[in-house]
Amino acid sequence: LEENGPRLLVVAEQAKVFSHRGGNVTLPCKFYHEHTSTAGSGTHKIRVKWTKLTSDYLKEVDVFVAMGHHKKSYGNYQGRVFLKGSSENDASLIITDIMLEDYGRYKCEVIEGLEDDTAVVTLDLEGVVFPYSPRLGRYNLNFHEAQQACRDQDAVIAAFDQLYDAWRGGLDWCNAGWLSDGSVQYPITKPREPCGGKNTVPGVRNYGFWDKDNSRYDVFCFTSNFNGKSF
């Protein structure tokens, strides 16, 4: 597409940014044209679209769209997301009053005429992962009940990356629990007979994906303090 002008490039200066519940954060994203210093050719309006990626790569959640003076935010993000706009090529997104559900990977897409490019930024939250089983005893929760159980503890169901980080931090738990992607896993730092065998290597053990309605396990929840301090 050289005849249409220089190629559009979208860049995130950081692949991962950190914050905590109740905080504010900037997801960095800038766009350039190859071989030029200008942000836009002036012939087409620039459209900026932010989406949140999910564990199902075919599904993205709309977060924010801007084109000229037209701006729209979606769902739980309404009233909490804004373009930083510090320069004409700045597509960075500011998220305010961060919620536990905001954790995850975000895609910045810039569209100009027939040209478009994307960059991905991960929002990581400071907090703690904890295993939860109901008073009835272990392995009593289907996936939907597990989600609610975490909400009842002022938490959300943990993502795999959050459980992995907790395992690296020393979390050792023999009971398998649901994670946000629908998988069932458990972290072992000290291999032993009842927990997969003592001759196995430490790690996060994966039971795979199970029926969200009929399979029953415990759950791993994640929560974050409002001031970002650890528990």
Side-chain angles (χ1 to χ4, degrees):
L1 293 174
E2 276 304 308
E3 65 272 16
N4 289 344
R7 198 160 65 88
L8 184 70
L9 295 175
V10 174
V11 179
E13 296 100 345
Q14 291 168 268
K16 182 180 282 193
V17 293
F18 293 86
S19 191
H20 55 83
R21 176 158 50 160
N24 302 333
V25 75
T26 299
L27 305 182
C29 182
K30 291 193 173 174
F31 57 96
Y32 305 92
H33 286 86
E34 225 172 24
H35 315 309
T36 71
S37 59
T38 58
S41 62
T43 54
H44 297 285
K45 273 191 175 171
I46 301 278
R47 183 167 181 255
V48 175
K49 182 178 183 182
W50 280 90
T51 54
K52 188 180 183 195
L53 305 178
T54 69
S55 52
D56 178 350
Y57 290 105
L58 298 175
K59 290 180 184 164
E60 296 180 12
V61 177
D62 287 337
V63 175
F64 183 86
V65 174
M67 186 167 179
H69 295 298
H70 178 73
K71 297 176 174 64
K72 182 175 172 67
S73 53
Y74 296 85
N76 280 341
Y77 296 97
Q78 287 181 33
R80 297 194 301 122
V81 291
F82 313 91
L83 277 191
K84 186 177 179 187
S86 62
S87 59
E88 62 177 10
N89 68 325
D90 188 2
S92 302
L93 188 73
I94 296 172
I95 305 179
T96 62
D97 194 19
I98 286 171
M99 301 160 66
L100 295 174
E101 293 84 355
D102 294 343
Y103 170 90
R105 295 166 69 237
Y106 291 81
K107 184 174 80 175
C108 171
E109 182 176 17
V110 179
I111 303 149
E112 184 187 27
L114 296 173
E115 296 270 302
D116 77 291
D117 195 24
T118 61
V120 174
V121 184
T122 297
L123 171 58
D124 204 349
L125 298 183
E126 299 158 3
V128 65
V129 169
F130 59 96
Y132 178 81
S133 57
R135 287 180 184 166
L136 299 167
R138 73 177 200 156
Y139 296 172
N140 265 297
L141 301 169
N142 71 18
F143 179 78
H144 312 290
E145 291 161 348
Q147 285 182 308
Q148 186 58 49
C150 288
R151 282 196 286 267
D152 291 345
Q153 309 302 312
D154 189 31
V156 291
I157 191 166
F160 169 77
D161 288 345
Q162 291 171 325
L163 182 64
Y164 181 78
D165 287 345
W167 167 75
R168 287 181 61 189
L171 183 63
D172 181 279
W173 197 255
C174 207
N175 294 350
W178 291 104
L179 294 176
S180 61
D181 63 1
S183 67
V184 175
Q185 310 198 32
Y186 65 102
I188 295 296
T189 56
K190 299 181 282 290
R192 52 203 183 275
E193 261 335 302
C195 308
K198 65 183 176 191
N199 295 324
T200 55
V201 295
V204 178
R205 306 274 163 80
N206 190 347
Y207 274 20
F209 294 89
W210 291 81
D211 184 323
K212 289 183 175 180
D213 295 317
N214 298 314
S215 300
R216 295 188 174 272
Y217 291 97
D218 289 352
V219 63
F220 290 97
C221 303
F222 173 83
T223 194
S224 169
N225 259 11
F226 283 99
N227 58 11
K229 289 179 181 161
S230 59
F231 288 72

